[in-house]
Amino acid sequence: MAAPTDRRPVVVVDDVHVEYKIFATGKRPTAADSGRRMMQRRRTTRTVHALKGVSFTAYENDSIGVIGTNGSGKSTLMRAITGLTPVSQGAIYAASRPSLLGVGAALIKDLSGERNVILGGLALGMSLEEIESRYDDIVDFSGIRDYIDLPMRAYSSGMTARLKFAIATAQKHEILIVDEALAVGDQKFRNRSEERIREIRDNAGTVFLVSHSMRSIKDTCNRVVWIEKGVLMGDGPTDEVIAAYQEAQRH
């Protein structure tokens, strides 16, 4: 993708490789082996090359969809950008600390939704005064006001994910990574979520949206990065890269 001259680079991913080692059980012994050996498997170590020389630059006001099949390296790339996964080779530069919003983000299930709004806001660096001023917006956005006083262990997974999204996006972000969070909730909530992402982008923010929903990406993103088996397969305008990706899935 040609580099824009009128926008500031916000994230630079430069020839990034990520490798990690995992334990494998090894191959099963053959039937000719003794019964005792049949019950044993030698533990071995395998190296997984999750990202293989990925390079691209994200600019302010970019809303970038990140696509690829399961296990392609999308989430590994996002975790590397946030610093949660170390790179084995190459480098990542960011203008500010990226914020990762994932469905797996931690909230405290024994506390009420109300208390989690306060603690989540504090964790994002908001003051109590800022949390108070944005509290009603967070609760109304999540759509769970009738349940906000209940412990979160009583919430459905969809209610929990909606509250996480509402808390995380109440704060202004220069770099926000959204990992599959729009897959939850009804169409009305997804529409609100997409509108919130566009607002962040329009306020000079940069958003990465990891999703299997091509519709959400088309409605939200001006650019798409396609990762497959750890390799950058495409980077360009949304419609062009999605068309190439879908064509590849048909073969």
Side-chain angles (χ1 to χ4, degrees), residues 107-119 135 144 147-153 155 163 167:
L107 292 179
I108 302 175
K109 292 186 177 296
D110 287 336
L111 298 182
S112 67
E114 178 181 8
R115 299 302 296 175
N116 272 289
V117 169
I118 296 169
L119 291 176
Y135 177 82
I144 60 170
Y147 310 96
I148 199 66
D149 59 330
L150 297 179
M152 286 194 59
R153 63 173 179 271
Y155 290 9
L163 184 58
I167 294 170

Short mmCIF file of all heavy atoms in Angstrom, two decimals, residues 107-119 135 144 147-153 155 163 167:
data_model
loop_
_atom_site.label_atom_id
_atom_site.label_comp_id
_atom_site.label_asym_id
_atom_site.label_seq_id
_atom_site.Cartn_x
_atom_site.Cartn_y
_atom_site.Cartn_z
N LEU A 107 -12.57 -9.13 33.60
CA LEU A 107 -13.36 -8.39 34.56
C LEU A 107 -13.60 -9.33 35.75
O LEU A 107 -13.40 -10.54 35.65
CB LEU A 107 -14.69 -7.94 33.95
CG LEU A 107 -14.60 -6.88 32.84
CD1 LEU A 107 -15.99 -6.55 32.31
CD2 LEU A 107 -13.94 -5.61 33.34
N ILE A 108 -14.00 -8.78 36.87
CA ILE A 108 -14.11 -9.57 38.09
C ILE A 108 -15.55 -10.04 38.25
O ILE A 108 -16.46 -9.24 38.52
CB ILE A 108 -13.65 -8.73 39.31
CG1 ILE A 108 -12.21 -8.27 39.09
CG2 ILE A 108 -13.76 -9.56 40.59
CD1 ILE A 108 -11.69 -7.33 40.17
N LYS A 109 -15.75 -11.34 38.10
CA LYS A 109 -17.11 -11.89 38.02
C LYS A 109 -17.87 -11.80 39.34
O LYS A 109 -19.10 -11.77 39.34
CB LYS A 109 -17.06 -13.35 37.55
CG LYS A 109 -16.61 -13.50 36.11
CD LYS A 109 -16.72 -14.94 35.65
CE LYS A 109 -16.35 -15.07 34.17
NZ LYS A 109 -17.30 -14.34 33.31
N ASP A 110 -17.17 -11.76 40.48
CA ASP A 110 -17.88 -11.69 41.76
C ASP A 110 -18.35 -10.28 42.09
O ASP A 110 -19.13 -10.10 43.04
CB ASP A 110 -16.97 -12.20 42.88
CG ASP A 110 -16.80 -13.71 42.84
OD1 ASP A 110 -17.68 -14.38 42.28
OD2 ASP A 110 -15.79 -14.21 43.36
N LEU A 111 -17.89 -9.28 41.33
CA LEU A 111 -18.32 -7.91 41.56
C LEU A 111 -19.46 -7.55 40.60
O LEU A 111 -19.63 -8.17 39.54
CB LEU A 111 -17.16 -6.94 41.36
CG LEU A 111 -15.98 -7.10 42.32
CD1 LEU A 111 -14.94 -6.03 42.04
CD2 LEU A 111 -16.43 -7.05 43.77
N SER A 112 -20.21 -6.55 40.96
CA SER A 112 -21.33 -6.10 40.12
C SER A 112 -20.81 -5.43 38.85
O SER A 112 -19.65 -5.02 38.77
CB SER A 112 -22.21 -5.12 40.89
OG SER A 112 -21.49 -3.90 41.13
N GLY A 113 -21.70 -5.31 37.88
CA GLY A 113 -21.35 -4.58 36.68
C GLY A 113 -20.94 -3.15 37.00
O GLY A 113 -20.00 -2.61 36.41
N GLU A 114 -21.64 -2.53 37.95
CA GLU A 114 -21.32 -1.15 38.33
C GLU A 114 -19.89 -1.03 38.85
O GLU A 114 -19.14 -0.14 38.44
CB GLU A 114 -22.29 -0.68 39.41
CG GLU A 114 -22.01 0.72 39.91
CD GLU A 114 -22.98 1.16 41.00
OE1 GLU A 114 -23.76 0.30 41.46
OE2 GLU A 114 -22.94 2.34 41.37
N ARG A 115 -19.48 -1.96 39.73
CA ARG A 115 -18.12 -1.91 40.28
C ARG A 115 -17.10 -2.17 39.18
O ARG A 115 -16.00 -1.58 39.19
CB ARG A 115 -17.96 -2.94 41.40
CG ARG A 115 -18.89 -2.73 42.57
CD ARG A 115 -18.74 -1.38 43.21
NE ARG A 115 -17.42 -1.18 43.80
CZ ARG A 115 -17.00 -0.04 44.34
NH1 ARG A 115 -17.81 1.01 44.34
NH2 ARG A 115 -15.79 0.06 44.86
N ASN A 116 -17.43 -3.04 38.24
CA ASN A 116 -16.51 -3.32 37.15
C ASN A 116 -16.35 -2.12 36.21
O ASN A 116 -15.28 -1.93 35.64
CB ASN A 116 -16.96 -4.56 36.37
CG ASN A 116 -16.41 -5.85 36.97
OD1 ASN A 116 -15.23 -6.13 36.88
ND2 ASN A 116 -17.30 -6.61 37.60
N VAL A 117 -17.39 -1.33 36.05
CA VAL A 117 -17.27 -0.11 35.26
C VAL A 117 -16.24 0.81 35.91
O VAL A 117 -15.37 1.38 35.24
CB VAL A 117 -18.63 0.60 35.13
CG1 VAL A 117 -18.45 2.00 34.54
CG2 VAL A 117 -19.58 -0.21 34.26
N ILE A 118 -16.32 0.95 37.24
CA ILE A 118 -15.39 1.82 37.95
C ILE A 118 -13.97 1.28 37.86
O ILE A 118 -13.03 2.01 37.51
CB ILE A 118 -15.82 1.97 39.43
CG1 ILE A 118 -17.19 2.67 39.50
CG2 ILE A 118 -14.77 2.73 40.23
CD1 ILE A 118 -17.81 2.63 40.89
N LEU A 119 -13.79 -0.02 38.16
CA LEU A 119 -12.45 -0.60 38.13
C LEU A 119 -11.88 -0.61 36.71
O LEU A 119 -10.69 -0.36 36.51
CB LEU A 119 -12.49 -2.03 38.69
CG LEU A 119 -12.78 -2.14 40.19
CD1 LEU A 119 -12.90 -3.60 40.60
CD2 LEU A 119 -11.70 -1.46 41.01
N TYR A 135 -20.31 7.37 33.10
CA TYR A 135 -20.93 6.15 33.60
C TYR A 135 -22.24 5.82 32.86
O TYR A 135 -22.43 4.70 32.38
CB TYR A 135 -21.19 6.27 35.11
CG TYR A 135 -21.89 5.06 35.69
CD1 TYR A 135 -21.19 3.91 36.03
CD2 TYR A 135 -23.28 5.08 35.89
CE1 TYR A 135 -21.83 2.81 36.55
CE2 TYR A 135 -23.94 3.98 36.42
CZ TYR A 135 -23.21 2.84 36.74
OH TYR A 135 -23.86 1.74 37.24
N ILE A 144 -27.33 -3.00 29.42
CA ILE A 144 -27.61 -3.91 30.55
C ILE A 144 -27.96 -3.15 31.82
O ILE A 144 -27.68 -3.62 32.93
CB ILE A 144 -26.41 -4.85 30.80
CG1 ILE A 144 -25.15 -4.05 31.15
CG2 ILE A 144 -26.15 -5.75 29.60
CD1 ILE A 144 -24.02 -4.93 31.65
N TYR A 147 -29.48 -4.83 34.81
CA TYR A 147 -28.70 -5.87 35.49
C TYR A 147 -27.39 -5.34 36.06
O TYR A 147 -26.57 -6.11 36.55
CB TYR A 147 -28.37 -7.00 34.50
CG TYR A 147 -29.58 -7.51 33.76
CD1 TYR A 147 -29.88 -7.01 32.49
CD2 TYR A 147 -30.43 -8.45 34.32
CE1 TYR A 147 -31.00 -7.46 31.79
CE2 TYR A 147 -31.54 -8.91 33.63
CZ TYR A 147 -31.82 -8.40 32.37
OH TYR A 147 -32.94 -8.84 31.70
N ILE A 148 -27.21 -4.02 36.03
CA ILE A 148 -25.91 -3.45 36.35
C ILE A 148 -25.54 -3.64 37.82
O ILE A 148 -24.35 -3.63 38.18
CB ILE A 148 -25.87 -1.94 35.98
CG1 ILE A 148 -24.42 -1.44 35.88
CG2 ILE A 148 -26.68 -1.12 36.96
CD1 ILE A 148 -23.63 -2.04 34.75
N ASP A 149 -26.53 -3.88 38.70
CA ASP A 149 -26.25 -4.08 40.11
C ASP A 149 -26.01 -5.54 40.47
O ASP A 149 -25.68 -5.86 41.61
CB ASP A 149 -27.41 -3.53 40.96
CG ASP A 149 -28.73 -4.20 40.65
OD1 ASP A 149 -28.92 -4.64 39.49
OD2 ASP A 149 -29.58 -4.30 41.56
N LEU A 150 -26.15 -6.45 39.50
CA LEU A 150 -25.95 -7.87 39.75
C LEU A 150 -24.48 -8.24 39.57
O LEU A 150 -23.76 -7.60 38.80
CB LEU A 150 -26.79 -8.71 38.79
CG LEU A 150 -28.30 -8.56 38.89
CD1 LEU A 150 -28.97 -9.44 37.84
CD2 LEU A 150 -28.79 -8.93 40.29
N PRO A 151 -24.02 -9.29 40.28
CA PRO A 151 -22.63 -9.75 40.05
C PRO A 151 -22.49 -10.26 38.61
O PRO A 151 -23.42 -10.84 38.04
CB PRO A 151 -22.45 -10.88 41.06
CG PRO A 151 -23.83 -11.32 41.41
CD PRO A 151 -24.70 -10.10 41.31
N MET A 152 -21.32 -10.06 38.04
CA MET A 152 -21.14 -10.39 36.63
C MET A 152 -21.18 -11.89 36.36
O MET A 152 -21.36 -12.30 35.21
CB MET A 152 -19.83 -9.79 36.11
CG MET A 152 -19.94 -8.29 35.92
SD MET A 152 -18.57 -7.64 34.95
CE MET A 152 -18.75 -8.55 33.43
N ARG A 153 -21.06 -12.70 37.39
CA ARG A 153 -21.18 -14.15 37.17
C ARG A 153 -22.60 -14.52 36.72
O ARG A 153 -22.81 -15.60 36.18
CB ARG A 153 -20.79 -14.93 38.41
CG ARG A 153 -21.67 -14.69 39.62
CD ARG A 153 -21.31 -15.64 40.78
NE ARG A 153 -22.14 -15.40 41.94
CZ ARG A 153 -21.85 -14.55 42.90
NH1 ARG A 153 -20.71 -13.86 42.84
NH2 ARG A 153 -22.65 -14.38 43.93
N TYR A 155 -24.18 -12.78 34.45
CA TYR A 155 -24.34 -12.27 33.10
C TYR A 155 -24.10 -13.38 32.08
O TYR A 155 -23.30 -14.29 32.30
CB TYR A 155 -23.34 -11.15 32.81
CG TYR A 155 -23.56 -9.85 33.54
CD1 TYR A 155 -24.50 -9.75 34.57
CD2 TYR A 155 -22.81 -8.72 33.23
CE1 TYR A 155 -24.69 -8.56 35.23
CE2 TYR A 155 -22.99 -7.53 33.90
CZ TYR A 155 -23.93 -7.45 34.91
OH TYR A 155 -24.11 -6.28 35.58
N LEU A 163 -20.43 -5.20 27.87
CA LEU A 163 -19.96 -4.28 28.91
C LEU A 163 -18.46 -4.00 28.74
O LEU A 163 -18.02 -2.86 28.89
CB LEU A 163 -20.24 -4.86 30.30
CG LEU A 163 -19.87 -3.94 31.48
CD1 LEU A 163 -20.63 -2.61 31.39
CD2 LEU A 163 -20.16 -4.63 32.81
N ILE A 167 -16.92 -0.25 28.21
CA ILE A 167 -15.91 0.33 29.10
C ILE A 167 -14.68 0.75 28.31
O ILE A 167 -14.18 1.88 28.43
CB ILE A 167 -15.52 -0.68 30.20
CG1 ILE A 167 -16.70 -0.94 31.14
CG2 ILE A 167 -14.32 -0.16 31.00
CD1 ILE A 167 -16.47 -2.10 32.10
#
